[in-house]
Amino acid sequence: MKLFKKICAGLIGISLILAGCGKQGNTPASSAKTGSDVSEAKKSNIVVGFSQVGSESDWRRANTASYRKVFTEENGFYLVYEDAQQKQENQLKAVRNFILQGVDYIILDPIVETGWEEVLTEAKKAGIPVILVDRKAAVSEDLYECWIGSDFHKEGVSAGEWLEKYLESVGKASEDVNIVYLQGTPGSSAQIGRTQGFDEVLKKHSNWHVLARENADFTQAKGKEVMTEFLKKYQDIDVLISENDNMSFGAVEAIKAAGLTCGPRGDISIISFDGVLPALNTLLYGDFNAVFECNTQLGPVAADVIRKLNEGQKVEKTIYVEETYFDNSMDLAAIIQERKKLYN
Ligand code: GYE
């Protein structure tokens, strides 16, 4: 399959800049508190310990901001925030600290699905309710109150179906299609769901060939590194599937450094996940073909759940948040204006 090869140099320059500065605010690694800080805070607030995965991506930073915005003293909360810097051992430590400090609730975004049974049993024994967010933990249901997040599997299926329709629309449905695939952190729900979802569509198409599939840990630097290797090995890549926007930004850098182009008018089509603001700009300027949204705004949903639990109300065990997708057939400028409000 050969896609249109025209480039608009000006637009590419702008989108590179946008891709490169995909930052939506920095967050301190931790807001460690002592047990006495916590018992003082408990007199007038609901104390919430939040173990976040890290700050590896724009999605993550926007996600953290959504918690910080709502878990304020003004709203009756006291937040103890811990950034695990993408290490499960740090999350285990953080949760054990929350238990020692005697927080009222624990919010945990588990980096991978396995390895949580023991620490969550400890939280249960201490009588501290746990809310799982974003990624899932493979534990029995009595170890947490509820899980809030995205349907990653559906995101993967939708991405595959989008590619199906796109190939039909450009008259390439029955041609050979060479795909390379950047994966997120192995064993994380986002990786598992998106990979499995996409693969369901992939196996219906014997002319879709996955040349390579590798982990790039959801980061821009790794995305660039792994894509650079793919480009050295394979001369005829038609499509890149990349499990988050930051890896896609890195891949765009690699593609351009190799003298190639991407997006609907380029050599390589790019399908990305997350839909953070810089990704929508990259889509608008023509370097991505489609982006499957993953809702970052979990903070307010978690706050609502905790308020309900605190009043003795029941909550749903599984709470999916809404999400959509974006491509060039849409009024992206208007969508970007709307989305900007989310991040202010
Ligand atoms: O896609 C990625 C982040 O778990 C949904 O983690 C999240 C993923 C998101 O680092 O950008």
Side-chain angles (χ1 to χ4, degrees):
M1 180 187 76
K2 286 225 171 53
L3 295 169
F4 297 112
K5 294 202 173 181
K6 280 186 203 156
I7 339 160
C8 175
L11 291 185
I12 280 167
I14 295 166
S15 60
L16 248 186
I17 293 166
L18 287 166
C21 46
K23 298 268 183 300
Q24 288 166 350
N26 286 323
T27 39
S30 133
S31 60
K33 299 283 182 247
T34 66
S36 61
D37 286 339
V38 166
S39 46
E40 193 50 38
K42 276 175 91 156
K43 291 180 188 157
S44 41
N45 296 298
I46 303 174
V47 177
V48 178
F50 173 30
S51 171
Q52 175 64 294
V53 167
S55 46
E56 71 284 1
S57 65
D58 289 271
W59 188 94
R60 188 65 57 198
R61 288 185 281 271
N63 175 249
T64 299
S66 85
Y67 290 91
R68 287 198 178 279
K69 211 165 162 180
V70 73
F71 284 99
T72 60
E73 296 198 34
E74 240 175 24
N75 289 341
F77 293 107
Y78 182 85
L79 183 68
V80 188
Y81 173 78
E82 289 291 341
D83 176 331
Q85 301 182 347
Q86 296 245 74
K87 291 199 178 81
Q88 185 171 31
E89 63 196 84
N90 290 344
Q91 290 203 289
L92 294 170
K93 249 187 245 161
V95 173
R96 292 201 163 104
N97 262 331
F98 295 152
I99 298 171
L100 277 177
Q101 290 166 338
V103 302
D104 296 311
Y105 293 87
I106 291 171
I107 301 179
L108 170 65
D109 188 329
I111 179 157
V112 289
E113 295 194 348
T114 53
W116 301 103
E117 196 82 26
E118 202 178 310
V119 80
L120 294 187
T121 306
E122 289 163 31
K124 190 178 174 159
K125 279 192 186 139
I128 304 173
V130 171
I131 292 98
L132 298 176
V133 288
D134 169 30
R135 301 182 185 172
K136 291 184 171 164
V139 293
S140 59
E141 287 206 347
D142 62 309
L143 293 182
Y144 61 94
E145 301 301 315
C146 81
W147 169 84
I148 305 162
S150 300
D151 190 337
F152 301 119
H153 182 266
K154 193 166 148 203
E155 290 173 7
V157 172
S158 306
E161 289 174 350
W162 187 94
L163 181 58
E164 256 173 6
K165 290 206 190 85
Y166 175 72
L167 292 170
E168 270 164 35
S169 75
V170 292
K172 313 278 183 188
S174 48
E175 291 189 14
D176 282 333
V177 180
N178 290 335
I179 300 172
V180 293
Y181 195 115
L182 293 173
Q183 282 181 304
T185 308
S188 67
S189 305
Q191 178 271 309
I192 296 170
R194 288 170 187 165
T195 300
Q196 286 178 352
F198 182 80
D199 281 4
E200 275 178 24
V201 185
L202 172 72
K203 68 176 182 230
K204 293 185 199 156
H205 300 278
S206 54
N207 58 324
W208 293 14
H209 312 292
V210 177
L211 304 177
R213 170 176 269 174
E214 259 181 54
N215 168 36
D217 226 9
F218 286 130
T219 69
Q220 190 156 333
K222 270 257 174 187
K224 183 176 180 182
E225 196 184 303
V226 178
M227 189 67 193
T228 303
E229 290 308 309
F230 287 168
L231 288 162
K232 275 187 204 153
K233 262 197 206 151
Y234 305 103
Q235 268 67 56
D236 197 12
I237 300 172
D238 299 308
V239 177
L240 164 68
I241 308 292
S242 165
E243 286 180 353
N244 90 339
D245 288 337
N246 288 82
M247 296 190 296
S248 311
F249 297 150
V252 170
E253 292 175 42
I255 290 168
K256 290 183 182 178
L260 296 170
T261 58
C262 48
R265 290 175 301 276
D267 304 308
I268 300 176
S269 298
I270 299 183
I271 299 177
S272 186
F273 293 87
D274 279 357
V276 293
L277 212 46
L280 299 185
N281 283 316
T282 305
L283 191 60
L284 175 65
Y285 287 107
D287 282 343
F288 288 173
N289 294 63
V291 181
F292 288 80
E293 188 195 18
C294 182
N295 192 332
T296 56
Q297 301 299 297
L298 305 183
V301 189
D304 193 48
V305 161
I306 291 180
R307 274 192 210 101
K308 286 189 175 138
L309 291 171
N310 219 45
E311 287 163 9
Q313 290 182 43
K314 285 213 155 192
V315 296
E316 296 287 328
K317 201 82 197 176
T318 302
I319 302 176
Y320 284 111
V321 287
E322 265 181 40
E323 34 208 14
T324 179
Y325 76 97
F326 309 98
D327 67 16
N328 293 90
S329 68
M330 299 170 184
D331 183 354
L332 291 165
I335 293 171
I336 288 168
Q337 283 317 312
E338 256 318 294
R339 295 270 151 168
K340 272 187 181 162
K341 294 180 199 157
L342 265 184
Y343 301 109
N344 287 329

